[in-house]
Amino acid sequence: DSLARTQAADQAGEGAGERGGVAAAAAALRRCCSIFSRTQGVSQGERERASRMSRFVRASKVRHVYCQPAKPEDQYSNFRLSTATGDHNYIKANTKYFAVPVQTGGGSLAVHNLENTGRLPSQPPVLDGHRGPVLDFEFNPMHENIIATGGDDCTIKVWGIPGEGLTESQSEPLVDMHEHQRKVVVLRFHPTAEHVLASGSADHNVKVWDVQKSMSKVTVEHKDLLQDIVWSYDGSMMATSSKDKQMRLVDPRSGEVTASVEAHNGTKTSKL
């Protein structure tokens, strides 16, 4: 009997221990579930906030894109760029050269051969004929070695680039035109006719030039500062934009404005 009672007591103790272990495991599981549910709640809240922000912040598709810079010998370096600011293009190129205004006492334009990469000399050869900064310039689309420049000194100059490129600075242009009364800010060569050039100035005038005769053929008056000029593909029409927010279509033969529309209502420069 005593043996039987001892075995029964041992079995009861083991049962109580098992029940206690199960209870402790269940309590631990409940705590883990509570922590997990709270963590999931925070993550869900963060996702909801991110979703709300995405309606206002545009995600960039190139945020992780990086470029590999060219080697120094494949770059163009040591340019002392002009500090003149404006709405013009600061660099232009054709199939042989690129041009960029550089810093000098007056107004100079560096014209560099595309094949000659590397570090330039401290004083490279330039086109140096303007008394003020060069504000716009344009390669002739029919003659790669001809370029026109317009400057703060109210003049337009047309230059010839030697076949081997600039080896020394030039100060005498092929053609010098002086009809504008204020700075010249836009130059555009005609796309299909030789030696026809359109210019825009701070005197609010657009002029169409016969470069060979060094004289303007048409003058189109505007009400405000010129911002851009473009020719149609065949050169039969040209469009202009100005600070008065109007875009105009102009017949270059007669100078008649055939249409006008308010292109943009903002204060930014309007390019065509």
Side-chain angles (χ1 to χ4, degrees):
D1 291 341
S2 61
L3 180 61
R5 286 195 296 273
T6 301
Q7 290 176 346
D10 292 340
Q11 291 175 355
E14 291 177 358
E18 290 177 357
R19 288 194 296 273
V22 170
L29 180 61
R30 285 195 296 272
R31 288 195 298 272
C32 290
C33 289
S34 177
I35 294 171
F36 180 76
S37 63
R38 289 198 302 271
T39 305
Q40 285 295 98
V42 171
S43 300
Q44 182 66 25
E46 290 178 350
R47 285 197 294 270
E48 290 177 357
R49 287 193 294 272
S51 177
R52 289 195 298 268
M53 287 294 294
S54 66
R55 291 181 296 174
F56 304 99
V57 180
R58 183 175 60 184
S60 173
K61 295 181 180 179
V62 294
R63 61 184 301 181
H64 300 301
V65 175
Y66 300 93
C67 68
Q68 183 65 37
K71 296 179 179 179
E73 59 269 22
D74 295 327
Q75 300 178 15
Y76 307 98
S77 60
N78 204 33
F79 282 100
R80 296 179 59 200
L81 300 178
S82 171
T83 57
T85 59
D87 299 322
H88 56 282
N89 293 311
Y90 291 88
I91 183 171
K92 291 184 181 180
N94 61 14
T95 59
K96 293 180 64 176
Y97 309 102
F98 73 89
V100 59
V102 292
Q103 187 175 4
T104 60
S108 298
L109 186 74
V111 181
H112 192 69
N113 195 310
L114 291 171
E115 297 179 353
N116 298 336
T117 58
R119 186 177 176 86
L120 272 72
S122 58
Q123 294 183 342
V126 295
L127 303 176
D128 186 18
H130 289 277
R131 296 191 304 273
V134 174
L135 300 181
D136 201 18
F137 47 96
E138 181 82 348
F139 285 100
N140 189 319
M142 300 182 185
H143 302 281
E144 292 183 321
N145 287 55
I146 292 180
I147 187 171
T149 59
D152 194 60
D153 58 358
C154 312
T155 66
I156 300 170
K157 303 179 187 298
V158 179
W159 307 81
I161 305 168
E164 67 278 9
L166 282 181
T167 56
E168 59 181 6
S169 295
Q170 294 186 20
S171 58
E172 294 296 328
L174 300 176
V175 179
D176 207 349
M177 298 179 284
H178 295 268
E179 293 184 21
H180 281 298
Q181 302 303 309
R182 298 189 65 184
K183 62 183 180 182
V184 179
V185 295
V186 183
L187 292 176
R188 297 289 184 269
F189 269 109
H190 195 283
T192 60
E194 282 191 311
H195 310 304
V196 176
L197 177 69
S199 65
S201 168
D203 61 10
H204 304 171
N205 287 331
V206 170
K207 291 182 178 291
V208 179
W209 300 83
D210 182 338
V211 175
Q212 284 184 315
K213 295 182 178 179
S214 187
M215 62 182 297
S216 65
K217 293 294 186 178
V218 175
T219 298
V220 185
E221 295 184 0
H222 288 62
K223 297 179 180 179
D224 214 327
L225 178 67
L226 267 297
Q227 295 179 333
D228 203 7
I229 302 171
V230 294
W231 292 95
S232 61
Y233 286 110
D234 60 0
S236 61
M237 299 290 290
M238 64 180 179
T240 67
S241 64
S242 64
K243 197 174 180 180
D244 63 1
K245 304 176 185 178
Q246 294 292 312
M247 182 184 73
R248 297 172 174 86
L249 294 180
V250 180
D251 184 340
R253 297 165 182 82
S254 63
E256 177 187 0
V257 177
T258 60
S260 178
V261 64
E262 183 175 326
H264 296 284
N265 197 29
T267 59
K268 299 291 185 180
T269 297
S270 181
K271 292 294 185 181
L272 302 175

